[in-house]
């Protein structure tokens, strides 16, 4: 059958191009697990592809990062060296209108983003999307609050839009949306365990107040005076003990009187810390794992809908065209979408001239399979001597030797640092350390050169660890040459004051040592794959969960209380925790991080309850529940799920088993 000519029919040619573009967009939606509920006319498709292009999405991500980072510059500014009010200099405060102008630009970009999304999906889909409706509300409230801020000449007491900024990150992150849905789905089970924890705390609080009541003997009132003086004091002490932050301090006064009192605290910790808290972790992991599987199913359904839509478009086009022409359309759509990743199976089907729906779907199964990166061929040398050297320098043992040399270098640096730990920088023998580093750097340079000789430039750069080694080796070499030029030829007294430049020799050598220690990370890829593989893949699966903006309360009233005076041991003042405050955004993040770690968090809670109000304890306890109990456990669940998957793939399956797996989608891949 001859292929019909479309040269004389512009409308048919235009329809063919539209069909191909529709198929391309549907295939892209399938690959990226996006919904196909959007406009499909020619102009909308161009806008749709532009919106989801890499440069546009990177620009939107940069805009989100910029609006979140404004909190570090806005009043009160975090641009000071120290957060300690005793030593902190007055930070630079931006003039009124600077950060507001940047924020207005960001809000306009968000408004444009909303307008484009709304147009592409249409009114009906917009009404169904709660996230986009919330997007509208947040942008509108932010604009209103911005106008009020400017009208008050930046002297407003409360900026509501600051509290709404994290929504921009949530709205544009599919993983964070899924995580919030998972938390919402898990809340009933979590609430039941938290209720058990509350009952456990209340029960032991009452028992503790009965056991450690005030007596006539002042020597036996230590526990009552410090930890069980009132209901709130008793409850707080046991809540902190639940996190083990005040153990064994909370027990010592009573334990000194009678060792049997330890049974009370041990029973509380066993039931609360080791049973109920771990039960909470198990529930969060189990629910999160089930929700991830459901999300994977939803994503697969989206993919298959996109594949089916692309197939239907090309099939409808093929009803009026010859099979050869349809084959060209399929080949064009795959080439535009997959580029160099077009699998051999797709080329075979396209060469045949037709394919059914199952064959069409099989191509995407091929795209999901693990692809082994092929390295460029080794350079060919005619000389037998060069060929022999190439075999030697391309051998795996050369990398092993390089790792051993890197380990020896780090051990030498550690030895020198230990020997010089009690000496000042002026008293240290920088000459010996510099000569030692010079020898190791020359070996690193030799290793890099012989690898380039054995593998060729393209082959050398095709390995990530070689790129890592090469960059650090070049930096070390440049720094070493700078030292030799600055201090002339090395001699034992080259670090005398008369021979010093603007940058001391010790500063340069310290930078060299830091780079050498950093270079030692080259051994990580050579660690057993069952451990290194999962660990190296954690970042892509957990980076979104780790993005959790801090909630900031009002400025601390303690900024004027900076003088040294006699205080109780273990308190905020005695521990010199002055840099941990809410005076600016950066300091608030560090303080909330310290509370999340729950080490000595009772000191912060006690100080703020003394200098502000007892109700401030609710803020710290709420933050502990959200961050340490919820988010950290969620983070652990995600790491466990990803690690178990990578472990099973790396250690449990033989090569034959892996080859038998036709299609396997990992959580890490789905949520990349």
């Amino acid at each position: 059958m001859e292929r019909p000519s479309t040269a004389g029919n512009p409308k048919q040619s235009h329809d063919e191009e539209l069909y191909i573009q529709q198929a391309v967009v549907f295939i892209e939606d399938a690959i990226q697990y996006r919904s196909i509920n959007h406009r499909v006319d020619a102009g909308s498709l161009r806008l749709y592809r532009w919106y989801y292009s890499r440069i546009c999405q990177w620009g939107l991500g940069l805009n989100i990062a910029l609006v979140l980072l404004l909190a570090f510059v806005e009043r009160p500014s975090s641009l000071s060296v120290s957060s300690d009010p005793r030593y902190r200099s007055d930070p630079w405060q931006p003039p009124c209108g600077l950060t507001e102008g940047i924020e207005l630009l960001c809000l306009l970009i968000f408004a444009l983003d909303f307008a484009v999304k709304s147009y592409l999906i249409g009114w009906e889909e917009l009404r169904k999307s709660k996230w986009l409706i919330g997007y509208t509300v947040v942008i509108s409230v932010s604009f209103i609050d911005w106008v009020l801020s400017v009208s008050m000449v930046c002297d407003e007491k409360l900026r509501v839009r600051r509290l709404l900024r994290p929504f921009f990150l949530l709205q544009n992150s599919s993983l964070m949306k899924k995580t919030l849905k998972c938390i919402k789905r898990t809340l009933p089970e979590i609430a039941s365990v938290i209720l058990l924890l509350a009952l456990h705390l209340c029960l032991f609080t009452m028992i503790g107040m009965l056991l450690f009541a005030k007596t006539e003997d002042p020597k036996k009132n230590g526990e009552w005076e410090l930890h069980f003086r009132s209901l709130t004091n008793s409850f707080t002490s046991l809540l902190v003990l639940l996190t083990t932050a005040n153990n064994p301090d909370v027990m010592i006064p009573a334990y000194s009187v009678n060792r049997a009192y330890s049974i009370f605290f041990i029973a509380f910790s066993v039931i609360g810390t080791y049973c109920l808290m771990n039960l909470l972790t198990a529930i969060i992991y189990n629910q999160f794992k089930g929700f991830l599987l459901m999300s994977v199913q939803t994503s697969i359904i989206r993919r298959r809908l996109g594949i089916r839509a692309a197939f239907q478009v090309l099939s409808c086009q093929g009803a009026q065209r010859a099979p050869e022409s349809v084959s060209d359309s399929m080949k064009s759509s795959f080439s535009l979408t997959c580029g160099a990743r077009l699998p051999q199976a797709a080329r075979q089907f396209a060469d045949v001239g037709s394919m059914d729906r199952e064959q069409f779907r099989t191509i995407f199964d091929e795209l999901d399979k693990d692809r082994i990166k092929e390295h460029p061929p080794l350079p060919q040398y005619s000389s037998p001597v060069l060929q022999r050297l190439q075999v030697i320098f391309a051998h795996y043992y050369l990398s092993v030797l390089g790792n051993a040399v890197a380990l020896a270098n780090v051990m030498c640096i550690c030895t020198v640092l230990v020997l010089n730990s009690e000496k000042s920088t002026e008293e240290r023998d920088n000459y010996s350390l510099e000569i030692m580093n010079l020898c190791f750097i020359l070996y690193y340079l030799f290793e890099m050169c012989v690898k380039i000789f054995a593998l060729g430039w393209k082959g050398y750069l095709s390995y990530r660890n070689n790129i890592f080694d090469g960059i650090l080796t070049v930096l070390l070499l440049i720094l070493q040459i700078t030292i030799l030029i600055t201090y002339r030829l090395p001699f034992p007294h080259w670090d005398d004051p008369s021979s010093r430049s603007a940058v001391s020799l010790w500063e340069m050598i310290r930078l060299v040592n830091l780079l050498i220690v950093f270079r030692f990370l080259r051994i990580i890829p050579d660690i057993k794959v069952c451990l290194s593989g999962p660990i190296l893949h954690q970042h892509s699966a957990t980076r979104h969960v780790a993005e959790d903006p801090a909630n900031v309360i009002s400025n601390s009233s303690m900024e004027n209380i900076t003088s040294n005076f006699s205080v109780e041991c273990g308190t905020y003042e005695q521990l010199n925790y002055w840099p941990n405050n809410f005076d600016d955004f950066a300091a608030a993040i560090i303080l909330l991080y310290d509370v999340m770690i729950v080490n000595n968090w009772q000191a912060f809670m006690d100080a703020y309850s003394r200098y502000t109000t007892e109700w401030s304890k609710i803020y710290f306890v709420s933050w502990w529940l959200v961050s340490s109990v919820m988010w950290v456990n969620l983070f652990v669940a995600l790491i466990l799920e990803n690690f178990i998957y990578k472990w099973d793939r790396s250690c449990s399956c033989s090569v034959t088993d892996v080859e038998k797996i036709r299609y396997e989608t990992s959580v890490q891949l789905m949520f990349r």
Side-chain angles (χ1 to χ4, degrees):
M1 182 183 296
E2 290 188 8
R3 177 173 175 173
S5 175
T6 61
N9 193 343
K11 184 178 183 303
Q12 184 177 353
S13 176
H14 178 268
D15 290 343
E16 292 174 5
E17 183 179 353
L18 178 61
Y19 287 143
I20 293 176
Q21 290 299 321
Q22 289 174 344
V24 166
V25 170
F26 288 145
I27 292 173
E28 289 176 344
D29 290 339
I31 292 175
Q32 300 298 328
Y33 306 100
R34 294 195 297 254
S35 172
I36 62 172
N37 294 322
H38 54 77
R39 299 176 186 268
V40 291
D41 57 277
S44 298
L45 289 177
R46 284 194 294 270
L47 178 61
Y48 185 84
R49 296 195 74 191
W50 171 81
Y51 177 78
Y52 282 106
S53 63
R54 181 172 297 181
I55 185 172
C56 185
Q57 291 301 307
W58 271 90
L60 183 60
L62 181 63
N63 191 63
I64 295 172
L66 183 60
V67 78
L68 292 177
L69 291 174
L70 281 177
F72 291 96
V73 184
E74 292 173 329
R75 301 181 183 182
S77 171
S78 302
L79 302 179
S80 60
V81 177
S82 173
S83 62
D84 194 325
R86 298 171 298 178
Y87 313 118
R88 180 180 58 207
S89 58
D90 293 334
W92 175 80
Q93 301 292 349
C96 181
L98 177 61
T99 57
E100 286 75 15
I102 298 174
E103 186 176 12
L104 177 61
L105 177 62
C106 294
L107 291 176
L108 290 174
I109 294 176
F110 288 134
L112 177 63
D113 174 58
F114 170 76
V116 172
K117 282 182 177 178
S118 303
Y119 170 77
L120 290 175
I121 66 174
W123 173 250
E124 293 298 325
E125 291 295 323
L126 175 62
R127 290 192 305 174
K128 299 177 185 177
S129 176
K130 296 179 181 178
W131 282 102
L132 287 180
I133 294 174
Y135 202 15
T136 311
V137 174
V138 170
I139 293 175
S140 303
V141 173
S142 298
F143 269 118
I144 295 172
D145 190 63
W146 183 89
V147 172
L148 293 175
S149 177
V150 174
S151 63
M152 296 179 184
V153 198
C154 309
D155 196 30
E156 74 281 11
K157 300 300 181 183
L158 177 64
R159 281 166 284 189
V160 179
R161 62 186 187 277
R162 256 193 173 187
L163 303 176
L164 302 178
R165 286 174 185 170
F167 182 85
F168 297 124
L169 179 64
L170 296 175
Q171 199 276 330
N172 285 277
S173 172
S174 60
L175 177 62
M176 297 194 75
K177 290 179 183 177
K178 295 178 189 295
T179 304
L180 288 177
K181 289 180 181 178
C182 172
I183 293 175
K184 179 181 177 182
R185 185 171 177 265
T186 312
L187 278 178
E189 289 79 6
I190 293 177
S192 63
V193 180
I194 291 179
L195 179 60
L196 285 175
L197 279 172
L199 292 174
H200 172 68
L201 279 168
C202 291
L203 177 64
F204 273 82
T205 297
M206 291 184 289
I207 295 174
M209 294 184 70
L210 292 172
L211 285 176
F212 308 116
K214 186 178 181 181
T215 64
E216 297 296 331
D217 187 359
K219 296 180 180 179
K220 298 181 179 180
N221 290 337
E223 191 71 36
W224 168 82
E225 185 177 353
L226 293 176
H227 305 293
F228 289 89
R229 194 182 190 96
S230 63
L231 180 64
T232 55
N233 190 19
S234 305
F235 188 87
T236 303
S237 298
L238 291 180
L239 177 64
V240 175
L241 179 60
L242 191 67
T243 65
T244 69
N246 61 351
N247 185 65
D249 298 350
V250 69
M251 181 180 68
I252 293 301
Y255 185 59
S256 300
V257 175
N258 191 331
R259 67 179 67 201
Y261 283 133
S262 63
I263 299 175
F264 169 81
F265 297 99
I266 293 174
F268 175 83
S269 297
V270 169
I271 297 173
T273 305
Y274 298 110
C275 292
L276 294 180
M277 292 298 290
N278 286 324
L279 179 63
L280 189 64
T281 302
I283 288 175
I284 292 177
Y285 171 70
N286 187 58
Q287 293 292 329
F288 186 69
K289 180 180 180 180
F291 185 80
L292 282 180
L293 293 177
M294 291 176 59
S295 299
V296 168
Q297 293 174 358
T298 304
S299 298
I300 292 177
I301 291 173
R302 281 188 174 185
R303 162 165 286 191
R304 293 189 174 179
L305 283 175
I307 297 170
R308 179 67 181 270
F311 183 81
Q312 288 296 118
V313 167
L314 295 175
S315 298
C316 292
Q317 178 191 13
Q320 302 174 356
R321 299 177 57 195
E324 294 86 351
S325 183
V326 179
S327 172
D328 292 340
S329 299
M330 290 182 176
K331 189 180 297 185
S332 300
S333 62
F334 276 111
S335 299
L336 288 171
T337 308
C338 306
R341 295 189 303 150
L342 180 64
Q344 187 64 32
R347 297 192 184 97
Q348 293 174 355
F349 287 132
D351 293 338
V352 170
S354 64
M355 66 177 74
D356 58 26
R357 191 173 64 195
E358 283 300 314
Q359 292 171 335
F360 192 76
R361 187 179 63 83
T362 302
I363 295 173
F364 293 92
D365 295 349
E366 294 290 331
L367 285 174
D368 277 331
K369 289 184 177 179
D370 295 335
R371 292 179 297 275
I372 300 175
K373 181 179 179 181
E374 294 184 0
H375 299 284
L378 298 178
Q380 300 296 324
Y381 297 104
S382 57
S383 172
V385 177
L386 295 180
Q387 291 176 359
R388 183 60 180 169
L389 290 176
Q390 184 182 28
V391 172
I392 295 174
F393 294 144
H395 201 277
Y396 171 72
Y397 286 145
L398 181 66
S399 298
V400 175
L401 178 61
N403 291 339
V405 172
L407 177 61
N409 194 354
V410 171
M411 292 178 64
C412 290
I413 293 175
C414 290
T415 303
V416 173
L417 291 177
V418 170
L419 294 176
N420 294 336
S421 59
E422 298 295 331
K423 299 179 181 179
S424 65
T425 56
E426 289 78 10
E427 297 173 342
R428 298 187 178 187
D429 184 9
N430 296 324
Y431 172 77
S432 301
L433 186 59
E434 170 59 21
I435 295 299
M436 179 187 68
N437 285 340
L438 177 61
C439 296
F440 281 107
I441 292 172
L442 290 177
Y443 174 80
Y444 298 149
L445 181 63
F446 166 77
E447 182 187 22
M448 183 181 70
C449 293
V450 298
K451 282 188 175 181
I452 294 174
F453 162 78
L455 304 176
W457 275 107
K458 293 183 178 180
Y460 181 82
L461 296 177
S462 65
Y463 295 89
R464 292 183 179 180
N465 57 331
N466 285 343
I467 297 176
F468 179 78
D469 281 353
I471 292 175
L472 288 182
T473 300
V474 171
L475 288 176
L476 287 170
L477 184 63
I478 293 173
L479 192 57
Q480 190 65 42
I481 293 174
T482 303
I483 292 176
L484 294 177
I485 293 176
T486 303
Y487 292 94
R488 310 302 178 186
L489 295 177
F491 58 94
H493 302 289
W494 67 344
D495 54 348
D496 286 343
S498 59
S499 63
R500 290 176 186 169
S501 63
V503 181
S504 68
L505 177 63
W506 164 247
E507 294 295 332
M508 290 188 173
I509 292 179
R510 182 167 61 178
L511 182 56
V512 170
N513 292 338
L514 287 174
L515 290 176
I516 289 174
V517 172
F518 189 63
R519 189 182 183 276
F520 183 64
L521 296 177
R522 59 173 282 168
I523 71 167
I524 291 180
D526 295 326
I527 300 176
K528 193 172 185 289
V529 67
C530 288
L531 292 178
S532 64
I535 292 174
L536 291 175
H537 284 81
Q538 297 306 318
H539 172 70
S540 59
T542 58
R543 60 189 176 93
H544 297 291
V545 180
E547 297 165 358
D548 187 21
N551 300 311
V552 184
I553 63 175
S554 59
N555 289 342
S556 170
S557 61
M558 304 188 314
E559 56 185 7
N560 297 322
I561 311 173
T562 59
S563 59
N564 294 323
F565 51 89
S566 178
V567 291
E568 184 181 347
C569 182
T571 59
Y572 182 97
E573 298 87 350
Q574 187 270 331
L575 295 171
N576 281 323
Y577 280 175
W578 302 109
N580 294 280
N581 53 61
F582 288 103
D583 291 349
D584 56 67
F585 188 74
I589 289 179
I590 299 301
L591 191 152
L592 292 180
Y593 172 79
D594 292 337
V595 174
M596 183 183 70
I597 299 302
V598 299
N599 187 27
N600 270 356
W601 71 297
Q602 71 275 11
F604 303 111
M605 190 162 52
D606 171 69
Y608 277 88
S609 65
R610 284 189 284 109
Y611 289 109
T612 56
T613 173
E614 286 286 331
W615 293 102
S616 62
K617 291 182 179 180
I618 298 178
Y619 173 81
F620 287 100
V621 173
S622 301
W623 170 249
W624 167 73
L625 284 173
V626 172
S627 62
S628 185
V629 176
M630 290 286 297
W631 284 106
V632 171
N633 281 322
L634 201 62
F635 191 75
V636 171
L638 191 60
I639 289 179
L640 284 175
E641 179 67 18
N642 192 42
F643 187 87
I644 290 172
Y645 172 80
K646 300 298 293 185
W647 181 280
D648 291 341
R649 288 287 303 273
S650 301
C651 299
S652 300
C653 297
S654 64
V655 176
T656 306
D657 294 332
V658 173
E659 290 176 351
K660 289 180 180 179
I661 297 175
R662 176 175 170 270
Y663 177 74
E664 195 172 52
T665 305
S666 68
V667 172
Q668 181 262 343
L669 174 63
M670 299 297 293
F671 293 95
R672 181 179 298 165

